[in-house]
Amino acid sequence: MAADSGPAPLPSSLPNSLPRPPGELEALRRIWQPPRGFRLVTAINNTYIGVFYIGTAFLFFVLAGVLALLMRTQLALPENNFLGPNVYNQLFTMHGTIMMFLFAVPVVEAVAVLLLPNMLGARDLPFPRLSAFAFWAYFFGGISFFCSLFFGLAPQGGWFMYPPLTTTTYSPGIAEDFWLLGIGFIEISAIAGAVEIIVGVLRTRAPGMTLERMPIFAWAMLVFAVMVVFAFPAIILATALLELERAFDWPFFSPARGGDPLLWQHLFWFFGHPEVYIIFLPAAGMVSMIVPTMAGKPLVGYRLVVLALIGSAFLAFGLWVHHMFATGIPRLSLAFFSAASMAVAIPSAIQVFSWIATFAAGRTQMKTPALFILGFLFTFVLGGLTGVMVAVVPFDWQAHDTYFIVAHLHYVLFGGLVFPLFAAFYYWTPAVSRNALSERVGRWVFGLVFIGFNVTFFPMHVTGLAGMPRRVYTYAPGLGWDTLNLVSTLGAFLIAAGVLLFIVDVARRFRLSFENHAGNVWNAGTLEWLPNGYYANRSIPIVTSREPLWDQPNLAKDVEAGRYYLPGAPTGGRETLITSAIDAKPQWILQMPYYGWAPVTAALFTAACFLLLTVKLIPAALVCAVIAIAALVHWAWELDPGPSHPPVPIGGGITVPVYVTGPSSQSWSAMIVLILVSGALFASAVFSYLYLWTVSPEVWPPADALPDIGYAGAAALLLLLSSASVAYASAALSRDARGRALTALAAGVLLLVCASTVDAYAVWQTGLSPSATSYGAIVYTAFGLQAIYVAVVVFMAFYTLARARAGLLDRARRVTFDNTMLLWHYTVAQGLTGLLLVHGFPRFVP
Amino acid sequence: MDLAPGIQSALHPRGPDAEAIAHLTWILIGGGTAILLAVLAIAAFALWAPLERRAWAAKRRFVIGSAVVFPIVVLTALLIYTVVVEASIGKRGGEPAVRIAVIGHQWWWRVHYLDSQGGLDFVTANEIRIPAGVPVELRLESVDVIHSFAVPNLAGKLDMIPGRVNRLRLHAHAPGVFRGQCTEYCGGPHAKMAFYVVAERPEDFEGWRASQRSPASAAQDALTAQGQALFMSHCVTCHTVRGTDARGTLGPDLTHVGSRISIAAGILPNNRGTLAAWVSASQDMKPGNLMPSMNIFSGEELRALAAYLESLK
């Protein structure tokens, strides 16, 4: 049943009256109770997943920090022999990889998982088990990856792993494969997080919370998620290509056979530059929440800040070549990317000055969060200014790959993420812990970390200009670097002392409590500070401004009393309210799952499968894959409950459905996001094909060496017919002609498989080899990508048929079918594009 | 071998291109510092000035003025200036006086001096001598992984990428010694892949070039003769000494190794002691490098070998 066409109007008085029926609150508490004891690993509520996530990310921060201390110890003296190059090269690779992939991106996702639902007035994220799966995959995968150090199997290629160094010729063994497969977990986590956040921010906000009234952190996370959707696929493809080259000798990056090392750099940095904004923008969002509270005034220039977030995201995708200024690319290219890299300073400046203006508007309470914000401002502005410096091409020609860059990147990353994160820890701890952290100790932590940071990294600007390159396990004495390095090492230990002190304070004072936390000690204005429990808020409030707690004085009391929407659980299960994307009018109720073993089991066995593949224990890997897929299927089977419950009243005279199909469904939105990710992935493959052609046109076939165009025509026709078949099935299903719908679906499967077979045969019968030239490699890759999607879609089709067989699919209950249909049409479009590229492009160019 | 502060510094320019960049650097440092101090001052004002006096800083107009208008003006000016500077780099001085191909290896530098037709003049390794006062063109290549050629006293860096040739101009004002290092992580002992550029007066450079073209001189005394014999029986798989039967190309050309100011790719001074140490224990000095430690010679044999190598001037 589709959602109601008109959103319900907001009532003029509070939706629900007192007294609330007896047992309503108790039922709500009971329904949202987390599992106990060891079974806490099956929890899926954003409260626990958020805390697990933050804890794990912080653990990786500390571990990577210890690696840094080891490195700085080695570098304290010239020609030091504390560590040799073998160990040192593993350490700097792991330090960068862990910090960027296992700490920075996960931690901002983690803060969102923990706080976003509360900030939006929702009871949980829209796909709780997906977050749980993403977390556990990250946890198991990340820990195993870290443990490679203890076996001397950690990668040594640097965190950005440039080939040819990272091909098997120069990096034999499995260490680099650990990196490639380890990053896979982060990719899964990030994409899952992006789906969660986009749907959550756009569809689960409290009624009345229009986009213009949304907390800035929600905007920042929305921008984060969209950036992840378009940036991560580039590195997914890059890692796949490198693994194919390592495992099967497909020469993407080897010039002798038409490959190009710069292909990797383009793909990696197309991801890598947006990545740093993916890290920074959520932190900026946190700052935009903390500053107004500390100043006691609303954020100055809310709209400017939103525009700045969006502007940063756009520009961030146009800068990546500034990592390649020293590679010998043409000068016009240099000028463009230099200009763009300077321009991106402007949206950041807008945010900085909005914060300063907000401070100017009020009297700031100089508590620990504010101290860390000031530390952030100093550090990040300094880092941003050195960023403008390295955007200047001739300067970068001296600074690139020296300690100047190490200084710059730490100023913007530590400044732009870690300081806001510490501020966030001190700021939001009272919302999840019985005690706030200590103010007194907090000042010491700030002092040690801030001074330590500057003592460590400021001298590196000089060290770099004095000529010390990056990634060196030692250096010659007497070049003017000796004292600078010693000072940097001392600073590193100061940072460590500060972090240690922080850990001690957390151990002493942090006591996790979602029901008896310390409360709104800062007098903040946003919804995460409402009294709450495992169910988030007792009732879902109506919001009329950006700082509801400041502008609606009785809000907390009324929410607790159950005067707003959904004060209980009318379906008897876990629910949250779905609202419209722009105006946040109530639309329907999302029924959500209880805790269970499927997500953590699927994650464990997915991680195990990847790990076993890395160490080349293939049969065991296959067994784990089967178990993981079984867990996923078991989980999926509980989805798509259908309209099993009649529409329920949520208060204020509004009754909403508990199940919808079509574009309003959260499932549909998730599939759209997945399709965008897939499109970006395929676009990266298309880019790779065209780029390799520009570098090595001599390995491209002349038009007469291509397969006969009839093959492409036949494959295209079969693809289109399969889409038509599925479209017919969809129409038949909506007319309740189930039998015909299922037959059409099955026919579609046949057509799709035939299309792929024709496609495969066409390429194979030319004798094209994927390891002979880069052309062969990229053609087989494009085909392989398509084949994977076809396999997934066919699996989904069989699953849909199984649902129908079990009586779980019909005219009213069709989300499963719709998901299959959406991915199907995408796969057909992708296939047609691939055919056009492989069979058409070489015929069109002279 | 010279190790002195500044010999690898971008802030000690010794040629026109490096000077242009250094000049730009100081402007950037000055401007950046000024802006940082201004931002800090405004922030301090916003936090701690009396509330009544700060009202103007709490307005949207202030945000737009300081975060949009000011940066657009400054960055536009900066962009224009830097494009002009960048366009001038590598263009001064006319035709290059010498063309040299530098080929990156894990973890050393093969150097081919080219003649006026672009063909091979002579081969050396790990040290590049140039005439002072005129531009020289380097063709940068790599046979294995990505390296990067950086000699900050004279120029910005440029990567050496397998499958590509990148061209870099070096131009030293006056005679001097300048140190450079590989600046793209290339695995293993990347930290120990360095080199020297030695600028000489043009007449001295011609003399050097002439002597480099000539084959190795014959052994002069019993010790060097013994060393030569040892060399011929242990080192010819990998090394070349023109004028003898040593024609290996896996490692650096040693025809005139005695004339270089450093050995092992810029990391050791060049004397009998370091030569002996390198031969017998190269893995200790540069762990992972592709020359095995030839710890098979007696003390006397090592002395002879080192004497021979030192005599290859």
Side-chain angles (χ1 to χ4, degrees):
Chain A
M1 178 168 76
D4 288 315
S5 49
L10 291 177
S12 50
S13 61
L14 293 180
N16 282 300
S17 54
L18 295 176
R20 298 308 310 149
E24 186 185 64
L25 179 58
E26 287 66 38
L28 194 60
R29 291 196 69 215
R30 193 179 19 87
I31 286 164
W32 284 89
Q33 268 298 305
R36 296 222 174 287
F38 176 71
R39 296 181 52 171
L40 203 51
V41 302
T42 65
I44 58 170
N45 193 335
N46 73 295
T47 49
Y48 276 107
I49 296 295
V51 168
F52 294 164
Y53 229 137
I54 292 176
T56 307
F58 188 72
L59 172 68
F60 282 123
F61 172 71
V62 172
L63 291 174
V66 170
L67 301 186
L69 288 178
L70 291 169
M71 290 194 282
R72 282 296 346 150
T73 305
Q74 163 64 11
L75 292 176
L77 301 170
E79 300 289 0
N80 202 0
N81 58 2
F82 174 63
L83 298 171
N86 187 36
V87 174
Y88 188 92
N89 295 344
Q90 290 179 58
L91 292 183
F92 81 71
T93 301
M94 292 298 274
H95 171 79
T97 306
I98 294 171
M99 283 296 191
M100 293 301 283
F101 288 114
L102 296 182
F103 163 64
V105 173
V107 86
V108 299
E109 234 181 88
V111 173
V113 166
L114 181 64
L115 293 178
L116 211 46
N118 288 316
M119 269 185 203
L120 300 175
R123 293 207 193 285
D124 204 331
L125 290 166
F127 307 102
R129 284 178 297 185
L130 186 62
S131 318
F133 173 79
F135 165 71
W136 286 112
Y138 154 69
F139 178 82
F140 293 127
I143 298 281
S144 330
F145 175 64
F146 182 79
C147 289
S148 65
L149 271 172
F150 300 122
F151 296 92
L153 282 177
Q156 294 188 37
W159 88 272
F160 37 88
M161 296 284 282
Y162 281 176
L165 177 64
T166 51
T167 60
T168 41
T169 314
Y170 303 103
S171 296
I174 63 173
E176 267 56 38
D177 300 301
F178 260 113
W179 188 95
L180 291 169
L181 292 171
I183 295 316
F185 295 112
I186 315 318
E187 293 163 1
I188 297 173
S189 271
I191 306 274
V195 170
E196 198 82 73
I197 287 165
I198 291 174
V199 179
V201 167
L202 289 180
R203 305 298 302 286
T204 66
R205 303 196 305 275
M209 186 186 283
T210 62
L211 286 177
E212 278 236 53
R213 293 181 191 151
M214 211 160 69
I216 291 284
F217 183 67
W219 275 110
M221 291 314 299
L222 182 62
V223 168
F224 158 96
V226 174
M227 291 182 77
V228 164
V229 163
F230 291 107
F232 267 75
I235 195 177
I236 292 175
L237 184 75
T239 52
L241 296 185
L242 186 56
E243 189 53 49
L244 286 169
E245 175 146 357
R246 286 181 61 84
F248 303 117
D249 199 25
W250 292 16
F252 301 102
F253 309 115
S254 303
R257 286 175 283 163
D260 186 6
L262 290 187
L263 173 63
W264 169 271
Q265 294 192 25
H266 281 293
L267 287 172
F268 185 89
W269 290 116
F270 184 80
F271 151 79
H273 190 81
E275 152 91 337
V276 304
Y277 284 88
I278 284 171
I279 291 168
F280 168 64
L281 295 181
M286 291 181 222
V287 173
S288 289
M289 306 293 292
I290 298 173
V291 166
T293 304
M294 292 288 126
K297 290 282 176 192
L299 183 68
V300 171
Y302 175 98
R303 281 201 197 141
L304 280 174
V305 171
V306 171
L307 279 174
L309 288 170
I310 297 172
S312 297
F314 260 115
L315 283 172
F317 280 91
L319 309 184
W320 81 94
V321 177
H322 71 213
H323 298 270
M324 299 165 66
F325 278 163
T327 56
I329 55 176
R331 293 194 135 164
L332 190 58
S333 196
L334 295 173
F336 173 80
F337 285 98
S338 178
S341 304
M342 291 184 202
V344 81
I346 293 173
S348 298
I350 289 176
Q351 295 194 70
V352 167
F353 280 97
S354 296
W355 297 320
I356 291 178
T358 309
F359 280 134
R363 287 184 206 285
T364 305
Q365 30 174 343
M366 274 297 164
K367 299 290 169 60
T368 308
L371 288 180
F372 277 104
I373 298 288
L374 295 185
F376 149 75
L377 277 176
F378 173 81
T379 316
F380 183 72
V381 170
L382 204 162
L385 289 167
T386 58
V388 172
M389 288 172 76
V390 295
V392 172
V393 174
F395 177 77
D396 190 56
W397 283 339
Q398 287 285 25
H400 177 67
D401 255 320
T402 68
Y403 263 77
F404 190 93
I405 300 292
V406 176
H408 163 70
L409 76 90
H410 284 91
Y411 266 84
V412 284
L413 284 173
F414 203 109
L417 171 67
V418 177
F419 280 117
L421 207 58
F422 273 107
F425 272 134
Y426 281 92
Y427 181 71
W428 274 299
T429 290
V432 297
S433 156
R434 260 206 298 281
N435 317 311
L437 296 174
S438 161
E439 267 300 304
R440 202 171 52 87
V441 174
R443 286 172 200 285
W444 275 94
V445 171
F446 171 72
L448 284 168
V449 172
F450 182 76
I451 293 172
F453 174 84
N454 282 288
V455 170
T456 310
F457 292 103
F458 192 82
M460 290 184 187
H461 295 106
V462 183
T463 319
L465 290 178
M468 183 171 174
R470 286 174 79 165
R471 302 168 147 192
V472 290
Y473 74 96
T474 189
Y475 54 95
L479 287 169
W481 308 339
D482 307 8
T483 313
L484 294 168
N485 270 285
L486 186 59
V487 169
S488 287
T489 300
L490 294 173
F493 281 92
L494 276 179
I495 300 176
V499 174
L500 187 59
L501 191 57
F502 174 77
I503 293 172
V504 166
D505 192 30
V506 167
R508 278 182 44 224
R509 294 187 56 96
F510 188 93
R511 296 289 177 268
L512 190 63
S513 170
F514 294 109
E515 298 183 302
N516 294 311
H517 55 83
N520 193 357
V521 305
W522 315 110
N523 191 28
T526 42
L527 293 181
E528 75 275 21
W529 295 101
L530 284 171
N532 51 32
Y534 292 112
Y535 45 75
N537 308 124
R538 165 73 192 282
S539 53
I540 298 181
I542 299 173
V543 157
T544 56
S545 74
R546 290 175 188 154
E547 287 88 17
L549 268 59
W550 287 350
D551 301 325
Q552 296 165 249
N554 290 323
L555 188 66
K557 204 165 51 69
D558 289 332
V559 163
E560 261 301 81
R563 300 290 314 270
Y564 284 100
Y565 293 113
L566 220 57
T571 66
R574 298 185 174 191
E575 309 144 346
T576 197
L577 188 61
I578 299 289
T579 56
S580 60
I582 300 186
D583 290 335
K585 303 240 169 77
Q587 288 184 319
W588 50 282
I589 297 262
L590 176 61
Q591 292 185 279
M592 292 198 292
Y594 283 91
Y595 46 84
W597 283 100
V600 58
T601 310
L604 176 61
F605 284 95
T606 307
C609 171
F610 280 124
L611 238 50
L612 291 165
L613 282 176
T614 310
V615 298
K616 310 215 195 294
L617 290 170
I618 311 293
L622 285 174
V623 168
C624 288
V626 166
I627 298 176
I629 291 175
L632 289 169
V633 171
H634 171 84
W635 162 359
W637 200 257
E638 293 174 40
L639 298 170
D640 195 5
S644 50
H645 202 283
V648 297
I650 60 172
I654 303 174
T655 301
V656 294
V658 302
Y659 173 85
V660 301
T661 61
S664 181
S665 132
Q666 89 286 12
S667 212
W668 186 286
S669 309
M671 285 309 296
I672 298 294
V673 173
L674 236 48
I675 285 171
L676 289 173
V677 170
S678 309
L681 183 62
F682 196 71
S684 302
V686 171
F687 166 79
S688 302
Y689 175 103
L690 294 171
Y691 179 82
L692 285 169
W693 173 77
T694 63
V695 173
S696 308
E698 70 278 1
V699 305
W700 245 249
D704 52 20
L706 291 170
D708 190 291
I709 196 76
Y711 287 112
L717 186 62
L718 289 165
L719 283 173
L720 286 166
L721 285 174
S722 84
S723 246
S725 208
V726 168
Y728 175 81
S730 177
L733 192 59
S734 53
R735 281 189 330 258
D736 218 1
R738 271 191 41 177
R740 267 183 253 167
L742 299 174
T743 314
L745 186 63
V749 169
L750 205 56
L751 290 162
L752 194 59
V753 171
C754 284
S756 286
T757 312
V758 169
D759 196 1
Y761 179 74
V763 168
W764 175 82
Q765 52 92 26
T766 60
L768 186 65
S769 155
S771 55
T773 63
S774 60
Y775 170 75
I778 194 66
V779 167
Y780 273 92
T781 302
F783 174 74
L785 199 49
Q786 176 66 6
I788 290 171
Y789 275 81
V790 166
V792 169
V793 166
V794 166
F795 182 86
M796 288 173 81
F798 279 119
Y799 178 83
T800 306
L801 291 167
R803 295 282 290 187
R805 193 83 202 290
L808 302 173
L809 184 81
D810 57 39
R811 180 172 165 224
R813 186 177 185 174
R814 55 172 290 165
V815 164
T816 307
F817 177 88
D818 288 343
N819 289 348
T820 309
M821 172 184 74
L822 284 172
L823 195 62
W824 197 298
H825 291 316
Y826 168 77
T827 303
V828 165
Q830 181 181 272
L832 291 170
T833 312
L835 287 168
L836 188 62
L837 183 70
V838 171
H839 296 267
F841 177 80
R843 291 185 159 96
F844 292 140
V845 292
Chain B
M1 176 171 94
D2 289 38
L3 285 174
I7 199 175
Q8 201 169 316
S9 169
L11 298 174
H12 286 67
R14 293 285 178 264
D17 287 344
E19 271 167 359
I21 298 177
H23 182 70
L24 176 57
T25 302
W26 288 114
I27 291 177
L28 291 172
I29 291 174
T33 309
I35 294 175
L36 177 66
L37 292 174
V39 173
L40 294 177
I42 294 174
F45 176 83
L47 281 162
W48 294 303
L51 194 59
E52 327 75 62
R53 292 217 293 150
R54 314 181 210 153
W56 60 272
K59 295 216 164 38
R60 253 179 112 242
R61 207 177 327 133
F62 160 73
V63 174
I64 294 178
S66 38
V68 180
V69 176
F70 178 75
I72 287 181
V73 169
V74 169
L75 292 174
T76 307
L78 183 65
L79 181 67
I80 295 172
Y81 172 58
T82 61
V83 167
V84 167
V85 170
E86 189 249 305
S88 75
I89 287 178
K91 302 274 175 50
R92 277 173 267 253
E95 276 297 295
V98 185
R99 288 192 166 79
I100 308 166
V102 183
I103 301 128
H105 284 253
Q106 278 178 319
W107 292 278
W108 58 280
W109 315 84
R110 189 190 298 271
V111 181
H112 287 194
Y113 277 75
L114 306 176
D115 61 30
S116 46
Q117 280 83 41
L120 181 61
D121 195 357
F122 60 89
V123 177
T124 177
N126 296 328
E127 184 172 291
I128 300 167
R129 296 214 180 198
I130 62 175
V134 287
V136 158
E137 183 181 87
L138 301 184
R139 296 178 31 156
L140 302 174
E141 306 169 50
S142 168
V143 300
D144 44 30
V145 301
I146 302 179
H147 300 277
S148 193
F149 185 92
V151 54
N153 280 176
L154 297 181
K157 64 181 55 69
L158 196 48
D159 286 351
M160 306 160 97
I161 301 170
R164 285 164 190 268
V165 178
N166 277 334
R167 288 169 208 276
L168 181 68
R169 275 212 174 195
L170 294 186
H171 184 157
H173 279 317
V177 175
F178 320 105
R179 193 173 187 269
Q181 235 178 297
C182 174
T183 45
E184 183 63 62
Y185 173 66
C186 49
H190 155 74
K192 300 224 169 181
M193 183 173 164
F195 61 93
Y196 284 90
V197 173
V198 181
E200 300 189 301
R201 291 180 307 158
E203 52 277 23
D204 295 334
F205 172 75
E206 286 310 324
W208 174 85
R209 197 158 45 161
S211 83
Q212 292 285 315
R213 283 187 190 116
S214 58
S217 36
Q220 296 297 328
D221 56 41
L223 192 62
T224 50
Q226 183 194 5
Q228 180 169 7
L230 287 164
F231 187 93
M232 291 306 152
S233 51
H234 291 91
C235 313
V236 302
T237 314
C238 301
H239 293 286
T240 295
V241 176
R242 271 178 282 123
T244 71
D245 284 332
R247 291 194 201 98
T249 53
L250 293 172
D253 184 300
L254 298 179
T255 310
H256 297 286
V257 62
S259 69
R260 299 179 199 154
I261 64 177
S262 73
I263 60 165
I267 64 165
L268 293 169
N270 192 352
N271 57 58
R272 287 196 196 186
T274 54
L275 285 163
W278 177 254
V279 165
S280 59
S282 69
Q283 288 299 318
D284 291 340
M285 320 193 85
K286 193 161 159 176
N289 92 85
L290 293 174
M291 171 165 162
S293 291
M294 307 286 281
N295 198 9
I296 51 177
F297 302 109
S298 69
E300 203 201 291
E301 287 173 326
L302 268 180
R303 260 197 332 120
L305 200 42
Y308 171 63
L309 291 168
E310 198 194 34
S311 75
L312 293 172
K313 294 217 187 288

